[in-house]
Amino acid sequence: MAIVIDGKLISQQIQEELALEVKTIKTNGGKTPHLAAILVGNDGASETYVGAKVKACEKIGFKSTLVRLSQDTTEQELLYIIKGLNADADIDGYIVQLPLPKHINEQHIIEAVDPKKDVDGFHPQSVGRMALNLPTYLPATPYGILQLLERYKIETVGKHCVVIGRSHIVGSPMSILMARNTNPGNCTVTMCHSRTANLKEFTLKADIIIVALGKPEFLTADMVKDGVVVIDVGITRVTSDSTKSGFKLLGDVKYDEVAAKSSFITPVPGGVGPMTIASLLVNTLKASKKEVYK
Ligand code: NAD
């Protein structure tokens, strides 16, 4: 039976470690790390995510600034705010919560963020530096997965890792990170996506499968070999009669049957999800300490 990877616990541990470090920094008269977040519009999910990030900052002793902008904010206005954050010496890092309203070009916004403050790791410079294994801010969700693999001491060297999904925020960076000459890393990586033919042929050979496609219970037991490590990134909200709220969250893995064949597996919720915030906070502390760019 699989060891269940407890992302909630690891995320809490990381946040406790960060809180201790911030306390020491403050005691020694150092600068309090400061994260800003820009939220455009009133998308419910985005409000929840940003709210959780701000709350996490407060809990561990970071400063946080939430810049709320209306849905009809223009691209020019947003670029002007970004210019201000780039120039603000007190702000160590900031994020622009995605998705943005349709009339704003996300790529223009991502590229306007000063790479030194790009704690989401989405700027092309950050992505390039990640691929080259140079110091940078790693994107939060893939970074969170690396931390889970590391803290659970899961062997990755020489393993065959199959990544399902090629989004810019999860699948693509994950495939790069697992192939790098680092630990965790040093895998032979197969990147699968919506146009992959005979996906099962690849997943059946995988030692590690990282699933990030957003299709509930897509990965089934017949697609995996015994002893596989399964990292489930998917989160889909589905209606449910069995919960008070009337909905529940499902991952991309048919959990019970795949867990029965796995050596390690992440649950949904409580697996990868909680790690995203922890990684963002780690990146913010790195920015504050000027660890990435001196
Ligand atoms: P996305 O929609 O941008 O990308 C999905 C990817 O899946 C695409 O690259 C596509 O090629 C691939 N895909 C689609 N159908 C496929 C198929 N049949 N076979 C193989 N590949 C297929 O999604 P995303 O932003 O990467 O998110 C994926 C999931 O992860 C979503 O459920 C999302 O909610 C979740 N997510 C969770 C976190 C977290 O913190 N835990 C963070 C980001 C995303």
Side-chain angles (χ1 to χ4, degrees):
M1 195 60 195
I3 293 175
V4 179
I5 297 176
D6 190 341
K8 206 171 157 193
L9 179 77
I10 301 291
S11 175
Q12 269 165 12
Q13 280 175 359
I14 291 172
Q15 291 182 53
E16 281 162 21
E17 289 162 16
L18 290 171
L20 265 179
E21 194 169 344
V22 174
K23 207 171 154 196
T24 310
I25 290 171
K26 286 183 184 172
T27 309
N28 295 335
K31 181 185 179 303
T32 302
H34 187 175
L35 175 73
I38 304 179
L39 176 62
V40 186
N42 307 306
D43 176 71
S46 294
E47 294 231 12
T48 309
Y49 293 144
V50 169
K53 289 167 187 172
V54 168
K55 217 166 118 193
C57 281
E58 284 161 10
K59 216 172 105 196
I60 63 163
F62 282 12
K63 257 169 90 176
S64 66
T65 297
L66 175 57
V67 183
R68 276 181 161 280
L69 302 171
S70 68
Q71 176 76 19
D72 57 7
T73 303
T74 65
E75 188 172 308
Q76 281 314 311
E77 285 166 341
L78 182 53
L79 287 170
Y80 183 76
I81 304 271
I82 286 179
K83 219 172 151 189
L85 294 181
N86 285 343
D88 186 335
D90 194 60
I91 288 173
D92 299 301
Y94 66 95
I95 58 159
V96 183
Q97 185 65 42
L98 302 178
L100 290 168
K102 296 244 174 318
H103 62 274
I104 299 176
N105 181 319
E106 277 186 4
Q107 199 55 33
H108 291 169
I109 300 306
I110 288 170
E111 291 185 26
V113 174
D114 181 346
K116 293 190 179 67
K117 299 191 176 192
D118 179 35
V119 287
D120 252 344
F122 293 160
H123 191 285
Q125 179 171 314
S126 306
V127 179
R129 291 178 69 92
M130 172 185 69
L132 295 168
N133 203 1
L134 294 169
T136 190
Y137 305 109
L138 299 179
T141 302
Y143 190 18
I145 294 170
L146 291 187
Q147 294 185 74
L148 288 178
L149 294 170
E150 191 179 346
R151 291 195 183 221
Y152 273 83
K153 299 188 171 36
I154 293 170
E155 184 62 75
T156 59
V157 181
K159 303 290 181 192
H160 179 203
C161 175
V162 168
V163 178
I164 310 178
R166 60 178 162 191
S167 73
H168 291 168
I169 59 165
V170 190
S172 292
M174 205 63 237
S175 66
I176 293 170
L177 290 165
M178 293 304 282
R180 293 195 319 182
N181 184 6
T182 51
N183 189 21
N186 277 310
C187 285
T188 303
V189 175
T190 306
M191 139 83 79
C192 298
H193 47 74
S194 54
R195 307 299 289 272
T196 297
N198 305 321
L199 178 73
K200 193 172 163 181
E201 273 180 25
F202 298 104
T203 55
L204 273 173
K205 289 188 194 134
D207 303 306
I208 301 170
I209 308 181
I210 300 173
V211 205
L213 74 162
K215 295 200 168 151
E217 302 187 325
F218 177 87
L219 189 82
T220 47
D222 61 307
M223 297 169 77
V224 306
K225 69 177 183 187
D226 282 325
V228 66
V229 174
V230 176
I231 306 291
D232 187 354
V233 188
I235 311 175
T236 307
R237 199 174 136 136
V238 295
T239 52
S240 165
D241 295 333
S242 60
T243 60
K244 233 176 160 183
S245 60
F247 73 87
K248 63 177 177 179
L249 297 178
L250 281 184
D252 287 346
V253 175
K254 194 145 197 180
Y255 184 81
D256 287 341
E257 62 177 52
V258 174
K261 291 180 82 175
S262 307
S263 54
F264 291 88
I265 190 165
T266 59
V268 175
V272 173
M275 293 302 293
T276 301
I277 286 189
S279 303
L280 177 66
L281 298 172
V282 171
N283 278 346
T284 304
L285 183 62
K286 282 186 180 172
S288 180
K289 288 164 68 182
K290 309 227 177 312
E291 267 180 20
V292 174
Y293 296 94
K294 305 292 168 205

